[in-house]
Amino acid sequence: MSDPEVETAPQKDAIGRLLVPLAILWALYHLFGAGLGYAGAHDLRAVHIAGAITLIVAWRPLPAPFRIIDLALIAVTVTAISYLIANADEIVGANWFTNEPLQRALGLALFICLMEAIRRALGWVFVGLISIFLAYAVLGPYIPGMLGHRGLGFDRLIYSFYLGNQGVFGSLIGISAGVVALFLIFGEILNAGGAGRTFINIAIRIGGRLKGGAGMVAVIGSAFMGMVNGSAVANVTSTGVLTIPLMRRLGFSRNLAGAIEAVASTGGQFMPPIMGPGAFLLAELLGISYLEVATAALIPSALFYLGLLFAVWLFAGKRGLQPVPEDMIPSRAETYAPAAMVALFVPIGLLIGFILARYTVQYAVFWAIVAAIGLFALQTLAVRLVGQKTAKGETHAAPIRFGPAIYDAFARAADTIAYIAMIVTAAQLIVAIINLSGLGVTLSQIIVSLGQDSAILSLILTMIVAILLGMGMPTPAAYAIAAAVLGPPLGQLGYQQLPSHLFIYYFACLAAITPPVASAVFAATAISRGKVFPTAGYAVMLSLSLFIIPFLFIDNPVLLMDGDISEVMLVSVTAAIGVATLSLATIGHFQHAIQPALRLALGAAALAMIVPGILSDVIGLVLMAGSLFLHLKRPQQRMVMRSKDI
């Protein structure tokens, strides 16, 4: 795979097909083991890694003559993990660095199996990245300057990976097995019940009648899907197959259509209540509840989508793009059919309700999944017994088969869980080396020294590093690594923990639309058949105003709901105006083309509103209002002049 986040469909030969029922049981093990606490943390993480490696190897096999290698990899993995489970008490209670020759051999064998699974799931880029960090860990004494260190031996590396708490039993693996896996199952169950189509119908009803309505539908639909999906690429592939053809049909270019869908899907990783897998890592690393993270992300995510909607509206005016035709807008009865609304929003409401009631996230999502399955079964039964009306009013029985649909949903969930497990495990290995070698401390010292001279410089450097990491890897891994390196120095510079980590996470998300890798853009162009770099260019133009949002909330945590309601509302309004103003400056069109000088003035006004404080906000608002007044007045003067000439 050329792109680490664009996953190809698994190839299932005879062995792969035989493993499908076991994969479903593996997914159910996560559901009951984590959701109801039936599995201990040690066993859950071990089974998580064993199943992930097995499924990746079996469902992405080598050519037929080499299948014996696949079987050997699976056998070694199962053996090494079985040893860990059988000797769990001894391993957990052992003193540091007491690994025996057998343990070292099993650890090395498991590491080789894991690297091969990572290669098949994520590509050579990840293998190369891990290898570079391993080389850094071993060759530390030979590296000159600040980056040099005393080096890590083979025994210590293997111990940390196999028996310590920074390898297969690391905290990131625990989040992958105990939380992320459950949400992936939840998303697949909702999609099996038609969540994607329901969300798109609602989006068409809400935004279809606006200028550039098809683009509005893409933004709103992707925002809805982001609440239950949390992956930029998965969001593109699930909603883009519906929204991109609609945009193309209504006059959007291939590149613009792909860009709108890519940016809209990227925001889903920051959209409560579910957000992306990285959000769960964030909560774990900070030792806070997921509810706190979701609450803090509420206003920034709203600003993201409001800013994007405004940018699409401006582009629609610039290109003369019209609303969705009335005959393509689903009826109110079809959109808000009681059965569809109940099947979709009751599980989501139940999830939010349990979280608000301070139950664990695992318990909340378990019962949300149970509710989703139960309602899907009832909906299927009702359709079979009563039938459903077509658009012409005819009634027929829908060919919905509950059993196969749920079976396929759990199989897809198992494959996605295995894929995410490879991402998180790779990140766990890199983070472990960063911590063990002292690289994180060294880089922190460099950033702090820069930040002492200029806080904004340290933030810009943090942004660049987070985006660069996100270009080469999916968001969860990019955030985990960036947090290990960038989180401590931001704290030393006086920034609060939660705003700092959300700042890092936000830019790790935006890497999905930032060239040259831009995984969400690649996924969108696969559907739109557009060109990658022009699409990425449009994506950057649409999202440029969105890049200021983290700078707003890290300097003013009120935007993270940290303040009284009046203060939160005031700061939110000024932030929204600032984001909209920068969109005006970037796109350069409002009713008609904006002159370059006025675009610069609007950009300066937006930047003034970024700086915390009443004075800067007032200056920005006055500058913005004056610029818009001059802009809107200009064509009126031209019309008067033309009338006089006539």
Side-chain angles (χ1 to χ4, degrees):
M1 292 169 53
S2 59
D3 178 16
E5 202 172 343
V6 180
E7 183 184 5
T8 56
Q11 303 173 19
K12 296 186 179 71
D13 59 4
I15 296 176
R17 288 191 295 271
L18 285 174
L19 282 177
V20 173
L22 292 178
I24 293 173
L25 290 175
W26 181 67
L28 289 171
Y29 175 82
H30 289 84
L31 179 60
F32 289 95
L36 296 181
Y38 289 156
H42 185 282
D43 290 351
L44 182 64
R45 297 177 189 189
V47 172
H48 181 66
I49 293 298
I53 295 175
T54 299
L55 292 183
I56 293 295
V57 169
W59 287 358
R60 294 160 180 79
L62 294 174
F66 303 101
R67 288 309 309 272
I68 187 66
I69 297 177
D70 294 339
L71 295 176
L73 290 171
I74 293 172
V76 170
T77 297
V78 172
T79 300
I81 295 296
S82 297
Y83 177 87
L84 291 177
I85 295 174
N87 298 276
D89 293 338
E90 177 185 345
I91 292 170
V92 172
N95 294 324
W96 165 254
F97 208 64
T98 56
N99 48 329
E100 300 173 356
L102 174 61
Q103 294 171 339
R104 289 197 294 272
L106 290 175
L108 178 60
L110 181 61
F111 178 79
I112 293 171
C113 294
L114 177 62
M115 290 291 281
E116 172 60 12
I118 289 173
R119 183 195 68 80
R120 297 190 192 190
L122 308 176
W124 282 105
V125 171
F126 255 85
V127 174
L129 189 62
I130 295 171
S131 299
I132 290 171
F133 275 92
L134 283 173
Y136 174 80
V138 174
L139 300 176
Y142 307 101
I143 299 175
M146 292 182 63
L147 295 179
H149 60 94
R150 63 181 182 180
L152 299 172
F154 170 79
D155 283 354
R156 187 177 181 190
L157 286 172
I158 289 297
Y159 177 90
S160 298
F161 164 72
Y162 188 55
L163 303 176
N165 58 5
Q166 300 196 52
V168 292
F169 298 122
S171 60
L172 301 186
I173 306 299
I175 294 298
S176 177
V179 180
V180 175
L182 299 185
F183 277 102
L184 294 174
I185 296 171
F186 182 51
E188 290 293 348
I189 296 298
L190 285 180
N191 282 330
R197 170 56 65 181
T198 302
F199 279 140
I200 294 300
N201 285 344
I202 295 173
I204 294 176
R205 290 287 303 177
I206 294 174
R209 294 183 175 88
L210 300 173
K211 187 187 298 182
M216 301 294 186
V217 170
V219 175
I220 297 170
S222 295
F224 283 143
M225 280 301 295
M227 292 192 299
V228 298
N229 192 308
S231 166
V233 172
N235 208 343
V236 169
T237 55
S238 60
T239 60
V241 293
L242 301 172
T243 60
I244 290 176
L246 177 63
M247 286 188 278
R248 292 284 299 123
R249 181 176 176 181
L250 297 179
F252 288 72
S253 69
R254 296 181 186 276
N255 297 327
L256 180 57
I260 292 172
E261 180 57 45
V263 178
S265 294
T266 296
Q269 298 179 95
F270 211 76
M271 185 74 178
I274 296 178
M275 303 173 68
F280 303 110
L281 303 181
L282 192 158
E284 173 70 16
L285 291 175
L286 295 186
I288 62 177
S289 71
Y290 174 72
L291 178 60
E292 292 181 64
V293 176
T295 302
L298 189 60
I299 293 176
S301 64
L303 288 173
F304 182 99
Y305 279 107
L306 287 173
L308 181 57
L309 283 169
F310 186 63
V312 171
W313 185 80
L314 291 175
F315 249 119
K318 188 175 184 178
R319 299 293 178 85
L321 300 169
Q322 300 303 311
V324 175
E326 195 66 32
D327 61 353
M328 296 179 64
I329 297 178
S331 67
R332 186 184 301 273
E334 180 183 354
T335 302
Y336 302 112
M341 292 295 98
V342 169
L344 179 59
F345 290 110
V346 166
I348 295 175
L350 193 65
L351 170 69
I352 297 172
F354 272 113
I355 291 176
L356 291 176
R358 301 289 178 175
Y359 286 92
T360 65
V361 173
Q362 295 92 323
Y363 189 79
V365 73
F366 172 84
W367 286 109
I369 292 170
V370 171
I373 294 174
L375 290 169
F376 183 27
L378 291 175
Q379 184 184 21
T380 305
L381 180 62
V383 169
R384 285 185 173 179
L385 293 177
V386 180
Q388 67 178 14
K389 291 186 177 181
T390 65
K392 298 179 180 179
E394 301 170 349
T395 301
H396 67 88
I400 300 175
R401 301 175 63 195
F402 170 75
I406 293 296
Y407 184 90
D408 290 343
F410 272 100
R412 288 192 302 270
D415 183 55
T416 308
I417 292 168
Y419 173 71
I420 294 295
M422 293 299 100
I423 295 172
V424 175
T425 305
Q428 178 77 66
L429 295 178
I430 294 172
V431 170
I433 293 172
I434 289 172
N435 291 332
L436 291 171
S437 65
L439 177 61
V441 175
T442 301
L443 294 177
S444 295
Q445 291 172 346
I446 295 173
I447 295 173
V448 169
S449 64
L450 290 174
Q452 288 174 345
D453 297 326
S454 171
I456 190 66
L457 181 61
S458 67
L459 291 178
I460 292 173
L461 180 60
T462 299
M463 175 190 73
I464 292 171
V465 173
I467 290 176
L468 287 175
L469 286 172
M471 285 182 184
M473 60 187 72
T475 301
Y479 163 71
I481 297 168
V485 175
L486 304 172
L490 290 180
Q492 293 180 45
L493 292 172
Y495 295 107
Q496 298 177 29
Q497 267 199 332
L498 182 55
S500 298
H501 279 254
L502 282 174
F503 183 93
I504 297 167
Y505 178 62
Y506 188 103
F507 283 117
C509 292
L510 287 185
I513 54 172
T514 306
V517 177
S519 57
V521 171
F522 274 89
T525 54
I527 300 171
S528 69
R529 303 301 177 189
K531 296 182 178 179
V532 171
F533 284 102
T535 301
Y538 276 124
V540 171
M541 189 178 297
L542 286 167
S543 62
L544 190 59
S545 64
L546 309 179
F547 276 71
I548 72 171
I549 294 173
F551 291 92
L552 292 171
F553 66 65
I554 195 170
D555 273 324
N556 197 349
V558 173
L559 278 173
L560 304 182
M561 307 288 281
D562 184 12
D564 61 71
I565 187 64
S566 60
E567 188 180 11
V568 169
M569 291 179 64
L570 176 62
V571 173
S572 299
V573 169
T574 57
I577 295 173
V579 170
T581 303
L582 192 53
S583 290
L584 286 168
T586 303
I587 296 171
H589 191 278
F590 181 61
Q591 305 298 326
H592 51 272
I594 303 175
Q595 289 181 321
L598 293 179
R599 291 177 68 176
L600 289 174
L602 287 169
L607 294 176
M609 283 183 274
I610 293 176
V611 179
I614 297 296
L615 179 60
S616 60
D617 288 344
V618 170
I619 292 173
L621 288 170
V622 170
L623 185 56
M624 179 205 68
S627 301
L628 285 179
F629 174 78
L630 293 174
H631 167 66
L632 295 174
K633 185 179 179 181
R634 184 170 60 89
Q636 295 174 359
Q637 291 176 338
R638 284 187 177 180
M639 290 176 63
V640 171
M641 290 175 63
R642 288 177 180 174
S643 64
K644 286 181 179 179
D645 292 340
I646 293 172

